[in-house]
Amino acid sequence: MIAQTPNIINKRILQIAVPSIISNITVPLLGLIDVTIVGHLGAAAYIGAIAVGGMLFNIIYWIFGFLRMGTSGMTSQAYGKHDLDEVARLLLRSVGVGLLIAIILVTLQYPIRKLAFTFIQTTEEVERLATLYFRICIWGAPAMLGLYGFAGWFIGMQNSRFPMYIAITQNIVNIAASLCFVYLFHMKVAGVAWGTLTAQYAGFLMALLLWRRYYGGLKKHVAWHEVLKKEAMLRFFQVNRDIFLRTLCLVIVTLFFTSAGAAQGEIVLAVNTLLMQLFTLFSYIMDGFAYSGEALVGKYVGANNRLALYRTVRQLFIWGVGLSTGFTLLYFFGGKSFLGLLTNETSVIREAGNYFYWVLAIPLTGFAAFLWDGIFIGATATRQMFYSMLVASGSFFLVYYSLHEWMGNHALWLAFIVYLSLRGIMQATLSRKILYQS
């Protein structure tokens, strides 16, 4: 057995983290490309339609992100055990469940759309165009949810390069297809939707081809009667249920943060939106290291290698402290200049200065939450992760409603910092089961 020196562990962490970070950064480009294309069509309603439609699908797919996370943790454990039979079955379970959920979403698209627009207040023209976008892109659900299963499985197999290749391919196809549909066939919003749909299925096809080319030998390990085995399916749904509930809490907090800011006026909403871009940038980096936690922790839990597990967690937190300190300094010296690149509205930039110190607190108070999420997913300690999120989310609303009358928007940011901190603190408290028990 190769000694688990810090250099070897760091190499393994970076081999998974760096491609994952690149994948994370490319994900929002799909939406940005769509907005850029319709932004040159001459009507604000086109931009509004893409923004609304994109937001709906972001929420839908965010909720079903458990398909990626649960698959990653369970696959990495099976990989650590060298249980190739279970490795093969997990991919079939995850992709199969994803396709089943997608069929339900496509079948229920009308009530889903009607329900969504009861909460989204917009003009008739934007709603009409967003409805057109939704009707086309909803057919991408099988590809997107199937890709979640593949992405989680690849990461569990210690391979984050393939999800990166898929994400880059999707962006290239999206640009080419959307430009073709919009400017050659003059399809406007429908063209952007068809371009997005084409890119989604191109990504799914690429995942299938990569699996067949590099993992096709696992087909001999598939025993179809074992795929739907009661005990295995029960564990699959228990793990994913906890992640689903945890993600639901996260979505509620995020949507409330936006809603509470909007209730305080356009300036505050714009300020919060801009400042949250700094949090989002930090999250892309930390999520990459969380993916390393998923893959490596799951591998060592499966192999029952507690020493390698402990050393990997320690190195992950060394990276976390270093990166969060670096981001704090970066935002302190350059954060306000970055806001100037996002907007030239002086009133918004001036108002943002009143809240900027909250952003400086995010890296050091929030990095642990990201890392522990990855560690807990890799260990499939999803129940504890959900409990931590539940306590943190409850504290978010408690702090906000206790203080917002006299602190205003500062109460919202304080609540968010408390929420991030408690996620990390709670999981650190519950981590002994992962780190020290066999």
Side-chain angles (χ1 to χ4, degrees), residues 398-410:
L398 179 63
V399 170
Y400 175 73
Y401 281 112
S402 298
L403 301 175
H404 82 283
E405 288 291 341
W406 63 280
M407 287 186 66
N409 195 48
H410 289 285

Side-chain angles (χ1 to χ4, degrees), residues 47-321:
I47 299 175
I50 296 299
V52 170
M55 180 187 68
L56 286 179
F57 284 109
N58 285 341
I59 293 172
I60 290 171
Y61 294 140
W62 200 2
I63 289 173
F64 294 110
F66 63 81
L67 289 169
R68 188 207 64 75
M69 291 182 278
T71 303
S72 172
M74 288 183 281
T75 301
S76 60
Q77 288 188 20
Y79 178 85
K81 294 176 183 176
H82 304 290
D83 187 350
L84 296 182
D85 292 344
E86 183 62 10
V87 163
R89 290 193 292 262
L90 277 165
L91 179 62
L92 291 175
R93 286 189 196 113
S94 183
V95 174
V97 170
L99 294 178
L100 177 61
I101 293 172
I103 291 171
I104 294 172
L105 289 175
V106 171
T107 303
L108 298 177
Q109 60 178 282
Y110 178 78
I112 291 172
R113 177 170 54 81
K114 296 299 288 185
L115 179 63
F117 280 106
T118 60
F119 292 100
I120 301 173
Q121 301 300 316
T122 185
T123 65
E124 290 185 8
E125 180 65 6
V126 169
E127 182 173 343
R128 182 184 70 81
L129 293 171
T131 297
L132 174 62
Y133 182 89
F134 182 89
R135 285 175 175 171
I136 295 170
C137 286
I138 190 65
W139 293 95
M144 288 300 294
L145 297 185
L147 269 173
Y148 279 5
F150 271 108
W153 190 84
F154 286 139
I155 291 170
M157 296 294 286
Q158 319 296 296
N159 181 354
S160 61
R161 292 176 293 109
F162 284 3
M164 179 185 68
Y165 298 155
I166 292 167
I168 293 172
T169 299
Q170 283 183 300
N171 278 284
I172 294 172
V173 171
N174 188 41
I175 293 171
S178 294
L179 288 174
C180 180
F181 286 126
V182 171
Y183 290 106
L184 291 183
F185 298 105
H186 308 290
M187 296 174 68
K188 297 185 179 179
V189 168
V192 171
W194 279 106
T196 299
L197 188 67
T198 302
Q200 289 168 342
Y201 277 98
F204 186 66
L205 177 61
M206 187 174 183
L208 287 170
L209 293 176
L210 287 171
W211 182 87
R212 182 176 179 180
R213 172 67 176 83
Y214 293 96
Y215 298 101
L218 290 174
K219 288 189 289 186
K220 64 184 179 183
H221 292 278
V222 176
W224 289 98
H225 65 281
E226 293 286 337
V227 172
L228 299 177
K229 190 175 180 181
K230 181 179 178 181
E231 293 82 3
M233 289 300 295
L234 182 62
R235 179 172 182 256
F236 182 87
F237 282 110
Q238 284 176 337
V239 168
N240 285 309
R241 176 201 61 198
D242 294 332
I243 298 175
F244 169 77
L245 293 172
R246 169 260 183 197
T247 303
L248 199 60
C249 290
L250 193 153
V251 169
I252 290 170
V253 168
T254 303
L255 291 178
F256 181 87
F257 187 96
T258 302
S259 176
Q264 299 177 67
E266 292 181 357
I267 296 295
V268 170
L269 174 61
V271 166
N272 287 353
T273 301
L274 286 178
L275 293 179
M276 283 300 287
Q277 300 310 305
L278 298 175
F279 168 72
T280 301
L281 178 62
F282 175 69
S283 72
Y284 289 155
I285 306 301
M286 292 313 304
D287 269 338
F289 286 86
Y291 290 178
S292 293
E294 293 177 23
L296 295 172
V297 168
K299 173 185 173 182
Y300 294 134
V301 167
N304 198 26
N305 188 341
R306 292 285 153 178
L307 179 59
L309 169 63
Y310 177 79
R311 289 178 174 175
T312 298
V313 170
R314 183 179 62 187
Q315 290 305 122
L316 281 170
F317 273 87
I318 290 174
W319 277 102
V321 171

